[in-house]
Amino acid sequence: MSSGTAPEGIRIVGATKSFKLDGAPFLALQSTDLAVAQGQLVAVIGPSGCGKSTLLRLIAGLEPADGGDILVDGWTPAEAARRGVLGIAFQDPALLPWRSVLANIALPLQVLGRNVAEAKGRIAELIALVGLRGFETARPSQLSGGMRQRVAIARALVTEPSVLLLDEPFGALDQILRRNMNLELQRIWMRQRSTTLLVTHGIDEALFLADRVIVMQARPGRIAASIDVAFPRPRPLSLFSAPEFAALTAQVADALHTGEG
Amino acid sequence: MQRLARLGIFLAVWEAIGRWQLIGSGALPPPSAILVQFWADRAVYPAHVWATFWPAGIGFLIGDAAAILLAIAFVLVPVLERLLRGFNIAIFAIPPITLSPLLVVAFQGTTPQIVLAAVTVYFPTMIATLIGLREIDPRFADIIRAYGGGTFTILWRVRLRAALPSIMTGLRIAAPSAVLGAILAEFGSGSRWGLGSFLLGSMGQANPARLWGIGLCATALAACGYLVFSLLGALAAPGTAATTMAIRRDPAAEGGKTQGPLVVRLALMLASFLMPFLLWQGVLDLLQISPVIARGPLGVWRVLVTGFDAADERAALVAALEQSVPVSILGMAIGIGGAFVLALVTVVRPAVGRALMPPSLLLQTMPLVALTPLVVLVLGRGLTATLTIVFAVTFFPAFLVMAQGMANTPRAARDVIQVYGGGALQQIWLVGLPSSIPYLFAAARLVAPSALLGVITAEWLATGYGLGNLLNEARGELDYGMIWAVAFASVAVSVIFYLLVQAAETLINRRFFG
Ligand SMILES: Nc1ncnc2c1ncn2[C@@H]1O[C@H](COP(=O)(O)OP(=O)(O)OP(=O)(O)O)[C@@H](O)[C@H]1O
Ligand SMILES: [Mg+2]
């Protein structure tokens, strides 16, 4: 599917990004290096405003980096987007309000010029997966916040992306649904093995899903720590209450808090 | 049910006033008499209605197609919008009646009506489309771009659909304007058919019931156009508003703002200023209108500055301006002032607003200026008639803009004041007034050209005064130079007023709203 010139996955070397804030530059992301190997799931965690969304937007080519190199499956972000390498779900579902659930999920296919009719079965499967069977023709305004978020997740998966960018996709869901979606995401991911970058506020969610947790700090936004998570897969829900899970949770919380003092 | 009852009372009162000739000694006939006359005239109505409707419809289609296509072009190439800003303002500011005599001598048949209808619909549709296309939720564009879509994909998949309700709002305002434009073009044409011609032809017949019948018929035609696009708009609306709020603004929404180095900005401003004149000359050249009739910018310059009797012409024009402009400003001040006060009242008494909104919407769609003969019939040919017309054409749109704007101010802001024991006056002073200022300016900008149009039309048809009279005389004497000069001066006054309001608006906004 992809045949980049460099190793696959995400590779970021020395990427920086600053915004203009009242005329003065504001450093949202300090020179950042990050490598996510092909098929790896990396979770990003950090305080609000530390640049997590910015990092994701740089990788998706939605903002130009001020400097440094970003390669996605060996392509520049813009080229990767054009080739349909990416799947993305934002912090906010951002569904087109005039489209039905079905049509919203089909949108990436249309933009990429792919055949929607051929993907019918796949879209139906995704709708079932996110538990929205029976809502195919509903408009976003008729759905609850959590349901909308699930549509956005289905939309992110519809192109069978080799790189998946998820920005707090479960932020709007209640705890029980969230756990279930964690399980589902793990299942989908194990089947598809997309290279995945998952932004989250939940330490437990990050540890449950990720091969590696990146801890970021704010002012300026930067990567402060990287913690490997070696639990065998598939991980059961009982992992949440395992002692070694608690130990790792403490380690991540530590890394999160040291930056604050 | 309550509405029906209200309508019944209204008709009964009207009938009584008409029966006993309480207004203008019979100038306001009772509805029954109007109906009887309408029935007596039933044979000629279809032809008149058709002669107005058909060119209005064609002009509507042409003007709106141009408006929508240009708005799309403005979104794709923002610098184009900067270049044509002067042109857009000029088109907006043209009092259509001043074009009417020019069009009538330059074209034949229904062309003047079509052109005038197209000119009047262009601006409202263009601006509504532009706003709709620009103000999209930036997150929608993000989604498209994450899958490699570019400007055109965003236009196609997001902007056009998102703009649909806004476009319908534009068309809803444009539809009555098209009827008005077509009627105004008939005023100068001397053609036999059309509601405008019918109205003018019936003016001297001492038959008020017929005049009222024609006026109501024209209103019904305009209101139909308004209703059709209201319904279409309601169909397009559901599910267009995003379910959650976007925090960022779409960068393209900033397209209208001036950026770049000072030299570039000045060059753009100059080009934008010159563009209307270039286009004016260009259209004349393109259509190859006889130079006897046509005057380009240089021609008007010659008439007013370098020609052998330029001093006389200038004196006549200045005298006319001195008569027309103060009346326009006075009428507009009364109209906007009244609307402002009433809008403030609606802040503390929302019920008043709800009651006044529907009739205001209806009255706004009336081709009021075209109904000048009716007003003259009731109020005579003096200043009162002129002021009444200007008041009527400025009051309703101004009230709608301000009342709708103020209705958007959060209820909570007023509640805070109420909780601390503030009364109605304090609510007006602390919340209503500050939140209304932007809408006051918007209303002033919106209605200024209508005010001038109202004055000129009244002067032309009734009072024999000012610019309208000068225009009418020049038309009679086939003094084409003067016709062009009057048209140019009217547009210039209107544009200057627009720019003054805009400057004041920017100043105040910067001062008080950061
Ligand atoms: N378009 C923008 N213009 C100006 N500043 C921006 C812009 N986007 C982000 N920023 C700034 O960059 C910093 C990082 O923002 P970002 O959205 O990446 O944070 P985040 O880590 O995703 O936070 P959260 O957890 O709250 O979503 C913030 O301080 C924000 O103010
Ligand atoms: Mg974020």
Side-chain angles (χ1 to χ4, degrees):
Chain A
M1 197 171 157
S2 53
S3 56
T5 50
E8 301 185 343
I10 303 170
R11 270 196 13 170
I12 303 176
V13 182
T16 62
K17 179 73 189 174
S18 53
F19 292 105
K20 273 239 151 55
L21 209 68
D22 287 332
F26 171 84
L27 193 56
L29 206 60
Q30 204 181 36
S31 178
T32 299
D33 300 320
L34 175 67
V36 182
Q38 151 91 58
Q40 218 183 13
L41 198 162
V42 170
V44 180
I45 196 164
S48 178
C50 69
K52 305 182 293 292
S53 296
T54 303
L55 180 64
L56 225 71
R57 292 176 62 81
L58 291 182
I59 298 170
L62 294 172
E63 310 272 1
D66 295 339
D69 282 317
I70 300 177
L71 289 179
V72 180
D73 270 5
W75 311 101
T76 63
E79 183 63 23
R82 224 166 311 150
R83 289 175 177 268
V85 170
L86 292 171
I88 192 162
F90 294 116
Q91 207 163 350
D92 182 289
L95 305 175
L96 298 188
W98 52 83
R99 284 182 172 234
S100 65
V101 166
L102 211 69
N104 259 300
I105 295 177
L107 179 71
L109 300 171
Q110 290 176 315
V111 174
L112 287 166
R114 296 195 190 156
N115 192 324
V116 177
E118 274 175 18
K120 264 227 172 84
R122 185 176 164 67
I123 295 173
E125 214 176 286
L126 280 170
I127 289 179
L129 177 73
V130 295
L132 286 174
R133 210 178 267 153
F135 288 94
E136 287 83 352
T137 57
R139 296 290 169 93
S141 58
Q142 298 167 312
L143 305 177
S144 74
M147 290 160 93
R148 282 179 215 144
Q149 196 66 56
R150 284 182 271 156
V151 177
I153 292 165
R155 179 177 64 185
L157 295 170
V158 74
T159 56
E160 306 194 285
S162 72
V163 173
L164 191 56
L165 305 174
L166 303 172
D167 194 348
E168 291 182 49
F170 310 130
L173 306 187
D174 63 79
Q175 187 67 11
I176 297 170
L177 190 57
R178 199 178 170 126
R179 288 276 178 269
N180 281 332
M181 289 304 293
N182 288 165
L183 267 185
E184 286 304 337
L185 183 63
Q186 171 174 249
R187 195 169 63 76
I188 297 165
W189 175 80
M190 285 182 68
R191 206 176 60 191
Q192 221 165 280
R193 287 285 167 176
S194 308
T195 309
T196 303
L197 203 61
L198 170 76
V199 173
T200 173
H201 272 153
I203 300 179
D204 53 351
E205 183 171 277
L207 289 175
F208 180 75
L209 286 168
D211 298 314
R212 187 150 60 94
V213 175
I214 301 283
V215 178
M216 288 184 71
Q217 288 297 353
R219 289 166 186 271
R222 62 191 187 279
I223 293 177
S226 167
I227 296 160
D228 285 314
V229 185
F231 304 119
R233 293 180 193 274
R235 299 171 182 169
L237 282 176
S238 59
L239 179 63
F240 282 111
S241 39
E244 56 274 34
F245 193 84
L248 218 47
T249 303
Q251 197 185 332
V252 173
D254 231 35
L256 264 173
H257 293 141
T258 45
E260 275 175 4
Chain B
M1 207 53 224
Q2 207 186 356
R3 257 192 220 157
L4 271 184
R6 252 189 243 152
L7 187 66
I9 294 170
F10 174 73
L11 284 176
V13 171
W14 182 356
E15 182 76 26
I17 291 175
R19 278 271 156 253
W20 293 302
Q21 310 210 334
L22 296 179
I23 288 182
S25 54
L28 179 65
S32 57
I34 296 173
L35 269 181
V36 169
Q37 183 64 44
F38 188 77
W39 181 250
D41 291 335
R42 67 188 180 282
V44 292
Y45 264 106
H48 285 306
V49 169
W50 183 251
T52 297
F53 171 75
W54 179 246
I58 302 282
F60 179 80
L61 289 181
I62 294 174
D64 288 328
I68 292 172
L69 289 178
L70 272 175
I72 292 173
F74 293 158
V75 169
L76 294 178
V77 191
V79 72
L80 203 61
E81 194 263 342
R82 284 290 304 139
L83 274 178
L84 288 181
R85 190 170 290 177
F87 165 79
N88 285 332
I89 295 176
I91 290 272
F92 170 65
I94 292 175
I97 189 121
T98 59
L99 286 191
S100 167
L102 297 173
L103 294 169
V104 169
V105 292
F107 303 106
Q108 267 119 43
T110 52
T111 314
Q113 286 171 284
I114 295 174
V115 174
L116 210 55
V119 167
T120 51
V121 300
Y122 168 77
F123 190 82
T125 308
M126 187 280 294
I127 208 75
T129 309
L130 189 60
I131 291 172
L133 290 174
R134 263 193 193 151
E135 307 268 310
I136 59 159
D137 192 322
R139 299 166 304 175
F140 299 165
D142 281 347
I143 283 288
I144 303 284
R145 287 195 291 142
Y147 292 98
T151 314
F152 282 97
T153 317
I154 294 173
L155 177 71
W156 178 241
R157 301 267 180 213
V158 178
R159 289 191 197 278
L160 282 173
R161 178 60 184 82
L164 213 52
S166 185
I167 295 176
M168 287 303 159
T169 307
L171 294 179
R172 188 174 78 184
I173 298 165
S177 307
V179 175
L180 176 64
I183 290 180
L184 289 179
E186 290 166 23
F187 280 1
S189 73
S191 84
R192 177 154 156 48
W193 297 105
L195 290 170
S197 304
F198 195 16
L199 200 64
L200 273 199
S202 311
M203 248 176 106
Q205 293 174 348
N207 187 348
R210 173 175 285 161
L211 282 182
W212 279 91
I214 303 167
L216 291 178
C217 184
T219 303
L221 192 59
C224 275
Y226 183 90
L227 276 182
V228 166
F229 288 99
S230 296
L231 292 178
L232 287 177
L235 284 182
T240 306
T243 36
T244 52
M245 285 280 285
I247 297 163
R248 245 165 0 104
R249 261 163 73 81
D250 177 37
E254 312 286 334
K257 299 244 172 72
T258 354
Q259 283 148 350
L262 190 64
V263 188
V264 175
R265 289 205 315 242
L266 283 178
L268 269 174
M269 244 155 101
L270 184 67
S272 157
F273 172 75
L274 291 177
M275 198 57 86
F277 297 98
L278 290 175
L279 288 171
W280 172 5
Q281 187 64 50
V283 168
L284 293 182
D285 291 346
L286 197 71
L287 296 176
Q288 299 192 320
I289 299 169
S290 148
V292 181
I293 299 168
R295 297 284 193 288
L298 290 177
V300 170
W301 178 262
R302 227 167 285 133
V303 171
L304 290 176
V305 182
T306 56
F308 71 95
D309 56 352
D312 292 345
E313 304 261 355
R314 226 168 32 228
L317 188 61
V318 168
L321 281 170
E322 280 171 355
Q323 291 175 335
S324 298
V325 172
V327 181
S328 312
I329 293 177
L330 180 62
M332 196 168 73
I334 300 174
I336 296 179
F340 187 58
V341 171
L342 202 60
L344 281 181
V345 170
T346 64
V347 172
V348 280
R349 296 276 176 278
V352 176
R354 276 195 300 276
L356 285 175
M357 208 61 100
S360 299
L361 278 171
L362 183 72
L363 282 165
Q364 191 205 14
T365 68
M366 279 180 93
L368 278 166
V369 171
L371 304 186
T372 305
L374 288 181
V375 177
V376 172
L377 188 73
V378 177
L379 294 173
R381 292 176 176 268
L383 188 63
T384 328
T386 313
L387 281 180
T388 306
I389 291 168
V390 180
F391 176 80
V393 295
T394 52
F395 177 82
F396 298 108
F399 173 68
L400 286 175
V401 167
M402 291 191 277
Q404 284 167 352
M406 288 186 217
N408 289 338
T409 61
R411 170 78 238 187
R414 267 174 290 136
D415 289 346
V416 168
I417 296 181
Q418 213 163 5
V419 164
Y420 290 106
L425 272 181
Q426 267 174 314
Q427 288 182 43
I428 288 183
W429 179 248
L430 292 172
V431 178
L433 214 54
S435 64
S436 68
I437 297 297
Y439 302 106
L440 181 64
F441 282 113
R445 240 177 336 141
L446 182 74
V447 300
S450 315
L452 198 58
L453 168 65
V455 168
I456 295 177
T457 312
E459 287 169 343
W460 171 333
L461 292 178
T463 64
Y465 207 68
L467 283 172
N469 184 53
L470 191 59
L471 194 64
N472 199 20
E473 280 180 352
R475 192 171 65 98
E477 295 161 6
L478 302 182
D479 182 353
Y480 297 116
M482 191 46 125
I483 299 182
W484 282 96
V486 172
F488 173 74
S490 316
V491 176
V493 165
S494 205
V495 167
I496 289 170
F497 194 84
Y498 180 96
L499 294 179
L500 283 179
V501 173
Q502 199 176 40
E505 189 176 4
T506 332
L507 205 71
I508 297 244
N509 279 345
R510 215 174 277 157
R511 203 68 193 272
F512 295 103
F513 301 98

